[in-house]
Amino acid sequence: MHARTRIAAALVAVAVGALTITACDTGNTVVDKPKEHAAAKADSGKDAKKGKSSDAAKVGDTLTLKGFEKGSQLDVTVVKVVDPGKPADEFTEPDAGKRFVGVQFQLVNTGKAVYSDSPSNGAQVADSEGQQFDSTFADITAGPSMSSSLKLKPDAKGLSWIVFEVPKASKLDAVQFTMDSGFADQTGEWKLK
């Protein structure tokens, strides 16, 4: 009788351990290797001619990111960065000691599921000190802001700006984008230097 109890307790311990390991391993990854054809187009220097693809993504490169939902996938491109971004009207100004930075994203739904999200929730910029900054609600003269409820059927694309408010002294180092309002397991990262 005691042997059965010990075996049952051991099985429960193994099951709990497996669940704990599974729960702790969320699979979060940073994707920074551009798609082959996109990297060659974006890099007009000699590295593109050599076919060098080990470099981290930069402005102009496309990263493929997956969301939580089965069949949820985007090709995300950081098209342009405007730093500083000029406010679109006289009523919108960054706080004292800060500036607007605009990042133009192109999102192409390469998955089988409809993409429906607020892309600005999953976008951040980071400076050389490691500080990260979320998006803000502001319009800049560079172009229209990203919709707060973007819906893309498979093969559809969206092209718009996401605006960030950062300290004037910050030297921006990277742009990040994560599907599912920032909660998906894969985060795309583009270097700005």
Side-chain angles (χ1 to χ4, degrees):
M1 180 95 172
H2 293 292
R4 286 186 188 171
T5 304
R6 283 189 222 143
I7 292 173
L11 289 174
V12 168
V14 168
V16 169
L19 287 174
T20 303
I21 291 170
T22 302
C24 292
D25 183 18
T26 60
N28 289 341
T29 58
V30 174
V31 176
D32 66 352
K33 300 300 179 230
K35 291 178 74 169
E36 290 298 322
H37 68 280
K41 286 181 187 176
D43 186 1
S44 60
K46 56 186 171 185
D47 289 341
K49 293 176 186 169
K50 292 179 186 175
K52 188 175 180 181
S53 62
S54 63
D55 291 339
K58 57 193 170 300
V59 174
D61 286 340
T62 301
L63 300 176
T64 300
L65 301 174
K66 293 182 180 180
F68 284 134
E69 185 180 341
K70 184 178 180 181
S72 178
Q73 179 174 290
L74 292 177
D75 274 1
V76 181
T77 307
V78 170
V79 179
K80 295 178 189 172
V81 176
V82 174
D83 185 6
K86 184 178 176 188
D89 58 55
E90 67 273 11
F91 305 109
T92 307
E93 292 288 331
D95 290 340
K98 295 188 176 183
R99 70 186 192 273
F100 287 144
V101 174
V103 178
Q104 187 181 40
F105 285 92
Q106 177 175 280
L107 308 178
V108 179
N109 187 346
T110 55
K112 297 184 185 322
V114 171
Y115 172 75
S116 179
D117 198 7
S118 179
S120 61
N121 290 344
Q124 291 185 324
V125 292
D127 68 12
S128 57
E129 301 296 318
Q131 298 176 95
Q132 294 185 328
F133 306 97
D134 292 325
S135 64
T136 190
F137 291 106
D139 291 318
I140 57 174
T141 59
S145 291
M146 186 74 73
S147 171
S148 62
S149 60
L150 185 65
K151 291 176 181 51
L152 298 174
K153 64 182 181 181
D155 297 320
K157 72 177 175 180
L159 176 69
S160 298
W161 293 84
I162 296 178
V163 179
F164 304 87
E165 189 173 7
V166 302
K168 284 184 178 177
S170 288
K171 293 181 172 111
L172 293 185
D173 183 55
V175 174
Q176 293 185 333
F177 183 84
T178 309
M179 292 179 66
D180 300 316
S181 287
F183 291 101
D185 289 338
Q186 290 185 326
T187 296
E189 183 173 271
W190 296 259
K191 286 298 195 181
L192 296 177
K193 295 179 181 183

